[in-house]
Amino acid sequence: MEEKLYLISHLVLITGLSDRTIRNYIASGILNGEKINGIWHFTPEEVDAFINNPAVRPSIIAKNNSIVYDFIINNGKKEEEACVILDLPKADIKETAEFFCYRISSGNFENINFSFDGYAKTPRVILKGKPVDVFGLIDEYYKSSRN
């Protein structure tokens, strides 16, 4: 089975950092990857080393916290919104990251916020958006993890 590679757009989803910030980390040597046909590709090991790098970690934590904080302090919502934090101690970190990353990037979701953290070896997923999207993704995850 071929190993899935991550793209910059996937790292933007996982970390909450901007495309430009990710590219700056590549230029500085903090993020390693391979450029194939003009597109950056990263192995799961390279992504893991990146998100656990002490120079990057505080920014990712701040982005994770901001998703939840913004949800809590915004009392003037015009539409229904859900924010869910899933701690998945029995889940495989790589498989969990791949499921949410690839599903969100290939799906038709409007304004969904996603963050993933596997730092403590317990995958943590944060999802914020329309309830139908958030709970639909969670339902798909649990159905796929049973197979």
Side-chain angles (χ1 to χ4, degrees):
M1 185 170 132
E2 186 176 314
E3 179 176 63
K4 289 186 178 179
L5 297 175
Y6 293 89
L7 306 175
I8 288 177
S9 61
H10 297 139
L11 294 180
V12 167
L13 273 175
I14 290 170
T15 64
L17 303 173
S18 70
D19 182 279
R20 175 56 32 215
T21 300
I22 300 292
R23 291 178 186 279
N24 287 339
Y25 281 127
I26 294 168
S28 70
I30 290 174
L31 174 58
N32 297 306
E34 181 180 4
K35 210 170 197 181
I36 303 170
N37 296 325
I39 299 171
W40 282 101
H41 293 80
F42 310 95
T43 66
E45 295 77 22
E46 290 167 333
V47 172
D48 188 53
F50 172 66
I51 64 175
N52 292 312
N53 185 302
V56 178
R57 191 90 191 116
S59 297
I60 294 173
I61 291 170
K63 291 293 184 176
N64 289 350
N65 292 344
S66 72
I67 291 173
V68 177
Y69 183 73
D70 290 348
F71 175 80
I72 292 170
I73 64 165
N74 183 357
N75 290 329
K77 294 176 181 75
K78 303 274 190 252
E79 296 181 16
E80 291 181 349
E81 190 174 64
C83 183
V84 176
I85 302 169
L86 295 172
D87 284 336
L88 305 162
K90 295 180 182 175
D92 180 88
I93 292 171
K94 181 180 169 219
E95 289 176 8
T96 304
E98 286 178 356
F99 173 85
F100 284 102
C101 186
Y102 283 93
R103 181 62 187 94
I104 290 170
S105 65
S106 67
N108 186 22
F109 300 103
E110 295 178 27
N111 301 322
I112 194 157
N113 291 101
F114 162 71
S115 182
F116 178 81
D117 189 2
Y119 181 71
K121 303 303 177 203
T122 296
R124 172 172 279 176
V125 175
I126 301 172
L127 295 166
K128 183 182 91 164
K130 291 182 179 181
V132 67
D133 292 339
V134 170
F135 296 117
L137 278 166
I138 292 169
D139 186 50
E140 282 183 50
Y141 171 75
Y142 280 105
K143 285 178 181 174
S144 73
S145 67
R146 288 188 204 129
N147 296 331

